[in-house]
Amino acid sequence: MDLLIKQARLEDDAELVDIAISEGKITAVAPNIEESSATTIEAKGKVVIPGLIESHIHLDKALIADREPNNSGTLQEAIQVTAKLKPTFTEEDIYDRAKRALEMLIVHGTTAVRTHAEFDPAQGFTGFDTIMRLKEEYRDLIDIQVVAFPQEGIFKAPGTDKMMIEAMEKGADVVGGIPYNDAPANEHIDLIFEIAKRFDKDIDLHQDFADEADDTSIVYLCEKTIAEGYQGRVSVGHLTALHAMEPNQLAEVIDLMVKAQINVMPLPATDLHLGARNDAYNVRRAVTPIRKLRDAGVNICLGSNNIRNAFTPYGNGDLIQIAMLAVPVAHLGGADDLPTVLPMITTNTAKALNIKDYGIAVGNRADLILLDTQRKADVLIDIPERLMVIKNGRITVEVKKEVTIHR
């Protein structure tokens, strides 16, 4: 075999196992594998999990917080600041920033990512083309799904409809959209489905990103999803307006979302930062109701959204930190709740992104992380060092750490 991981902990209530890897695949998982290997990793009881999956990020807008601040911390100013900066983005600039952000994800154990890549008639395809270039260049380190994303709307920016088609022809993996930033929202959704069906691609929308629930399109989206037979193929990011819905209305919406099998990507780092800025007192969290969605059976996937820009002026690409942030935000720290959070950056996201052969099982791709912790239950609260990252059976990241306490 090519690689053998000895005495790894997959579950806290199970015995340690060895994991054999050949030609990028997991070939055996057993208590004691005696066969020889080209490389052997001594896990010594430390936890091994599948590679992390980033469900929603904007690599083309990363690392620009120092260029123009968002002083109010509002969504409106974030959009204005970014619109002001976009004309200054060159291909070289986008490439450099996106590459640095991508490597932040990689060193923290992310082995797959879905990134939204912008274009519009004013800026052209500079950002989109650059992200497509990075997708190819980094294919051995991370799998990249590129979403064709019309940030400025489609009908509001004439010519964007043709650019959507061109983006798909250029190789975009997913059809993106932003109904709340276009008019009318329902026609925006209709066009997205038309394009998705034409190219047989999944859909990923920035959906109902607002503090209030008085002008949402999530119900129409669910009905459209069911009518088009797209159950399980539609994902939405943000969806913060749901937090403001009256309980009976929310229950009806969630029930419809379950029927449509909508995947939801809460983005706590951004949504907490931008949300409820106009609340004078008793300030709301303005994050979609993760617990209620989860309890109803909605597939929940946590994402970073942005790293160090006007929408999110912090972040280091560590999805485990994002997951830990969601724990207090969504009241997920209980004994029964905490184990449901790690899947929100692993198996749940693999399902939403339709990633096949994922997870630690014979025959699956060997995308793994060795963590510096002895208990799987402690992965989130420890935020442990990623000691080793394995992508397609090859060690891609290795961290050697020595800590000494001097008395």
Side-chain angles (χ1 to χ4, degrees):
M1 70 196 81
D2 300 324
L3 190 63
L4 178 63
I5 304 174
K6 297 289 291 181
Q7 296 300 281
R9 187 177 305 283
L10 304 188
E11 301 294 341
D12 292 339
D13 57 354
E15 61 183 332
L16 303 180
V17 297
D18 296 349
I19 305 170
I21 298 169
S22 293
E23 298 181 350
K25 300 284 188 178
I26 298 173
T27 56
V29 179
N32 189 25
I33 298 174
E34 297 292 349
E35 299 172 39
S36 62
S37 173
T39 302
T40 299
I41 300 168
E42 298 291 345
K44 299 179 181 179
K46 294 185 184 297
V47 174
V48 172
I49 63 172
L52 304 179
I53 306 175
E54 171 61 76
S55 64
H56 182 125
I57 201 169
H58 296 260
L59 293 173
D60 51 354
K61 292 191 294 194
L63 305 174
I64 55 172
D66 58 342
R67 300 184 185 183
E68 184 84 21
N70 176 0
N71 291 307
S72 68
T74 62
L75 173 60
Q76 291 72 26
E77 187 174 351
I79 293 172
Q80 293 167 5
V81 164
T82 306
K84 179 180 177 181
L85 288 174
K86 277 205 293 185
T88 70
F89 295 170
T90 63
E91 181 180 347
E92 181 182 8
D93 172 44
I94 296 170
Y95 178 84
D96 176 67
R97 290 184 291 99
K99 178 180 177 180
R100 284 188 286 139
L102 198 54
E103 291 181 358
M104 292 167 104
L105 297 177
I106 291 167
V107 299
H108 284 108
T110 297
T111 56
V113 56
R114 175 178 284 183
T115 180
H116 297 254
E118 294 183 24
F119 48 82
D120 60 65
Q123 302 301 316
F125 282 106
T126 303
F128 179 87
D129 288 344
T130 302
I131 298 302
M132 291 297 291
R133 173 185 166 192
L134 284 166
K135 174 183 176 178
E136 181 63 24
E137 290 183 7
Y138 276 77
R139 61 185 301 174
D140 293 334
L141 294 170
I142 188 169
D143 299 321
I144 302 177
Q145 291 186 6
V146 180
V147 183
F149 180 51
Q151 171 72 71
E152 308 305 327
I154 297 177
F155 302 115
K156 284 171 57 178
T160 304
D161 54 345
K162 295 180 180 178
M163 295 186 77
M164 289 290 292
I165 300 299
E166 188 174 351
M168 302 313 297
E169 291 173 342
K170 282 172 171 282
D173 302 286
V174 183
V175 184
I178 185 166
Y180 66 83
N181 194 36
D182 212 355
N186 290 0
E187 291 185 20
H188 182 105
I189 291 170
D190 288 344
L191 181 56
I192 295 303
F193 271 92
E194 180 183 323
I195 296 170
K197 292 185 71 177
R198 173 176 169 179
F199 290 91
D200 191 23
K201 298 293 185 181
D202 290 354
I203 292 170
D204 196 324
L205 304 179
H206 287 57
Q207 184 69 37
D208 296 328
F209 189 15
D211 288 348
E212 309 302 336
D214 49 10
D215 188 24
T216 64
S217 58
I218 183 62
V219 169
Y220 183 81
L221 175 64
C222 291
E223 292 172 343
K224 183 73 173 179
T225 299
I226 294 169
E228 297 291 351
Y230 248 62
Q231 293 95 324
R233 299 189 66 181
V234 178
S235 299
V236 296
H238 298 292
L239 199 65
T240 57
L242 261 61
H243 86 104
M245 280 189 177
E246 179 270 334
N248 290 336
Q249 180 189 10
L250 177 61
E252 292 177 0
V253 171
I254 291 178
D255 182 61
L256 191 56
M257 291 175 65
V258 172
K259 292 176 181 176
Q261 298 174 38
I262 303 293
N263 305 297
V264 177
M265 282 86 167
L267 309 167
T270 298
D271 299 342
L272 281 169
H273 176 68
L274 298 175
R277 286 285 179 165
N278 294 321
D279 289 357
Y281 67 98
N282 196 22
V283 179
R284 295 169 292 173
R285 300 180 183 199
V287 175
T288 200
I290 296 173
R291 277 183 67 94
K292 290 182 179 180
L293 289 164
R294 180 206 64 182
D295 290 348
V298 174
N299 188 40
I300 299 291
C301 318
L302 298 168
S304 301
N305 190 45
N306 284 292
I307 296 176
R308 303 185 192 187
N309 65 11
F311 296 87
T312 319
Y314 39 71
N316 63 358
D318 188 348
L319 267 177
I320 294 182
Q321 285 194 6
I322 294 293
M324 183 57 216
L325 177 62
V327 169
V329 168
H331 290 157
L332 296 171
D336 294 332
D337 292 309
L338 197 59
T340 71
V341 182
L342 185 59
M344 295 179 187
I345 54 174
T346 53
T347 52
N348 291 13
T349 314
K351 177 182 177 181
L353 273 58
N354 197 26
I355 296 175
K356 305 298 184 183
D357 301 331
Y358 177 83
I360 304 177
V362 173
N364 286 351
R365 286 190 300 175
D367 293 355
L368 309 169
I369 316 170
L370 175 62
L371 299 170
D372 191 15
T373 186
Q374 297 282 343
R375 285 187 359 117
K376 188 176 181 181
D378 293 339
V379 168
L380 293 185
I381 59 177
D382 282 350
I383 312 182
E385 195 80 64
R386 304 328 103 93
L387 296 176
M388 199 167 289
V389 181
I390 297 167
K391 176 64 184 164
N392 290 329
R394 185 176 69 89
I395 299 171
T396 54
V397 177
E398 187 172 3
V399 174
K400 296 181 179 180
K401 180 180 176 183
E402 183 177 324
V403 178
T404 303
I405 298 176
H406 297 281
R407 294 185 177 274

